[in-house]
Amino acid sequence: MNHISDIQLNDYVDNDLSPDARAAVQQHCAECAECAQRVERLGSLRLRLAELPRSIEPPPSIHAEIRAQLDAPLRIPVRRGVSRRTFATAAVVLVALSSATTVMVMRSMRDDVASPTLARDNVPGDARLIAVTEIESRYISAIDELQRALDAQRALLAPETIKLVESNLEIIDRAVAEARNALLADPSSAVLADMLRAGYERKLDVLRSARAHTVQM
Amino acid sequence: MEGRTSAHTRESEALGTLVRSAQNGDREAFDALYASTAGRVFAVCLRLCADRVAAERHTQDAFVTAWRRLGTFRGDSLFTSWLHRIAVNEVLQDRRATGRREARVMSADDDVLESAFARDASPEGRIDLERAIAMLPPGARAALVLHDIEGYTHKEIGDMTGVAAGTVKAQLHRARQLMQKWLEA
């Protein structure tokens, strides 16, 4: 007598067999005590695993750690030591970025006035987030990746540079939050969409600049 | 059954409301989401890592990542599934990175680990279920935890771990075989 294979046995307890194959296993087990026992043992293990608690309470300190991380504008611990050159370069980069962003937003505002806007009434409630999420989906992972890369190279940045980058990111984050909330209230506004995009671009550029400094060092 | 379904619907609606508030920057809503979901996130991290300290770190990272990416959550899936996926990816990404680092210095693979675990597995003859899961080689453990406890399909696990569904299936069978051997010893 050919016993059922391990693959058949696992597929049987997982309910992955066709009706015919399943019936064949059942018929075999009716005549073979050894295979019937194998099915029972594996089925019992599956059941025990399925009954394990799906939730295990984490230690309370985790929540506090998460809050602390969310409160931190940028997770770059300060390194001892000063680099005037880096500080000066970062400041110039930030000023240039601010100007570029202003130009970008002003240009988009002109375009918005010149072109007809979408109808602002009757925007479905759930669709309101779409305007925001479409923009954010393009930036969030890139920002996240840069932040992680920066975290890994944090020791290479001087404290003044870190402070400058952090304070500018704070300003940008506030601007992004304002643009985001405004866009949620008025999802058809091209000006607000451009402002949100500009905010994210600016954040990306600041992070890229800071990252570039760590690479050059 | 109907009572359970409506309770489930109410719970989903409550989470949906919290998610929308959190997407608008409401930190208290995010804290409430944490309170509702942290247990499940920690459980899957702990079982996948078999290391309490690492599981705590991954749970933290998963929630920080979720907060940053909250704007991209569109509600096509359940929030709990979306969050769970983030947590699982945190663990698996770290495992891939750690695996690469360890591979350079000790060329450890599942076979080596399996025989090492087998030697220490069961001095008294019986071990409990959670301990047996923790002792599985990493690949087999991921397949077992994600399939038999969390309910993911072979294909979904393959997508997450970067291996073919057939490989996941083989790892799962091996994990069950080891579990049976240890638990019934």
Side-chain angles (χ1 to χ4, degrees):
Chain A
M1 183 190 292
N2 285 332
H3 292 299
I4 55 174
S5 69
D6 281 341
I7 294 174
Q8 282 176 308
L9 172 68
N10 278 277
D11 284 349
Y12 180 80
V13 297
D14 287 340
N15 217 5
D16 276 347
L17 289 177
S18 67
D20 285 350
R22 191 168 180 78
V25 169
Q26 283 169 340
Q27 193 179 344
H28 174 81
C29 287
E31 297 162 5
C32 175
E34 190 183 331
C35 284
Q37 196 189 22
R38 286 169 67 208
V39 168
E40 194 187 319
R41 282 169 50 220
L42 191 58
S44 162
L45 175 66
R46 281 283 273 128
L47 198 64
R48 287 180 67 189
L49 289 167
E51 285 174 349
L52 281 173
R54 300 287 292 276
S55 179
I56 298 172
E57 202 55 41
S61 59
I62 290 188
H63 192 202
E65 289 286 341
I66 292 167
R67 289 194 74 115
Q69 282 195 45
L70 297 186
D71 286 336
L74 179 64
R75 292 175 296 145
I76 305 176
V78 173
R79 181 186 71 111
R80 298 279 169 228
V82 181
S83 164
R84 286 176 187 279
R85 181 179 157 272
T86 306
F87 175 73
T89 315
V92 168
V93 168
L94 286 167
V95 168
L97 284 169
S98 303
S99 308
T101 307
T102 307
V103 168
M104 188 174 163
V105 172
M106 291 306 289
R107 190 189 301 141
S108 72
M109 286 179 80
R110 281 201 306 275
D111 292 346
D112 193 44
V113 171
S115 61
T117 55
L118 298 168
R120 298 186 183 207
D121 296 324
N122 303 321
V123 178
D126 285 343
R128 283 174 174 244
L129 274 175
I130 290 175
V132 172
T133 51
E134 274 180 353
I135 293 170
E136 290 184 335
S137 61
R138 296 212 301 271
Y139 294 104
I140 297 292
S141 59
I143 287 173
D144 210 34
E145 203 176 308
L146 275 167
Q147 280 188 326
R148 280 171 191 269
L150 258 182
D151 286 348
Q153 300 292 323
R154 61 203 174 200
L156 296 174
L157 287 172
E160 283 77 6
T161 309
I162 292 167
K163 201 172 166 189
L164 181 67
V165 171
E166 280 184 350
S167 69
N168 277 277
L169 285 176
E170 264 185 279
I171 295 166
I172 295 169
D173 282 342
R174 275 202 297 275
V176 164
E178 279 175 22
R180 192 178 192 279
N181 287 337
L183 188 59
L184 281 169
D186 186 5
S188 58
S189 168
V191 173
L192 294 173
D194 276 336
M195 285 181 78
L196 185 58
R197 267 186 223 106
Y200 279 120
E201 288 285 354
R202 217 173 137 190
K203 185 165 184 172
L204 266 180
D205 281 333
V206 170
L207 289 169
R208 280 189 195 119
S209 302
R211 172 87 179 114
H213 280 292
T214 63
V215 173
Q216 285 164 12
M217 288 174 126
Chain B
M1 188 69 182
E2 197 176 307
R4 196 193 300 169
T5 306
S6 63
H8 186 260
T9 308
R10 276 198 302 277
E11 192 184 332
S12 296
E13 283 169 0
L15 276 183
T17 306
L18 289 173
V19 170
R20 281 189 291 279
S21 300
Q23 283 178 320
N24 286 324
D26 183 343
R27 285 280 292 276
E28 283 183 15
F30 190 70
D31 287 345
L33 282 174
Y34 174 86
S36 304
T37 56
R40 282 205 57 189
V41 170
F42 184 60
V44 74
C45 289
L46 187 58
R47 287 187 179 124
L48 283 174
C49 299
D51 175 339
R52 200 166 184 91
V53 174
E56 289 176 13
R57 193 181 71 240
H58 290 311
T59 302
Q60 277 176 35
D61 290 347
F63 277 96
V64 170
T65 302
W67 170 256
R68 287 187 182 150
R69 294 187 186 160
L70 209 50
T72 65
F73 175 69
R74 298 182 180 207
D76 300 333
S77 59
L78 288 174
F79 173 74
T80 45
S81 308
W82 179 79
L83 175 63
H84 227 239
R85 195 78 174 229
I86 289 176
V88 170
N89 282 337
E90 290 283 346
V91 177
L92 296 177
Q93 274 171 17
D94 185 60
R95 207 184 74 193
R96 277 194 284 271
T98 309
R100 276 197 295 275
R101 280 198 300 276
E102 285 174 354
R104 280 188 224 120
V105 293
M106 58 187 282
S107 70
D109 61 20
D110 282 4
D111 288 326
V112 174
L113 290 168
E114 183 187 320
S115 56
F117 280 130
R119 280 197 298 277
D120 302 330
S122 182
E124 295 90 27
R126 273 190 84 80
I127 47 177
D128 68 23
L129 208 53
E130 294 281 13
R131 235 187 104 202
I133 295 168
M135 288 183 351
L136 287 169
R141 185 169 64 236
L144 183 104
V145 168
L146 295 175
H147 187 277
D148 284 0
I149 302 176
E150 298 297 333
Y152 288 101
T153 64
H154 300 124
K155 187 183 177 309
E156 286 170 333
I157 299 167
D159 290 344
M160 285 188 269
T161 54
V163 298
T167 307
V168 173
K169 212 168 168 178
Q171 286 173 324
L172 175 63
H173 295 180
R174 187 180 182 199
R176 288 170 174 172
Q177 206 172 30
L178 286 168
M179 294 281 289
Q180 281 186 313
K181 193 167 91 184
W182 293 337
L183 291 166
E184 292 167 9

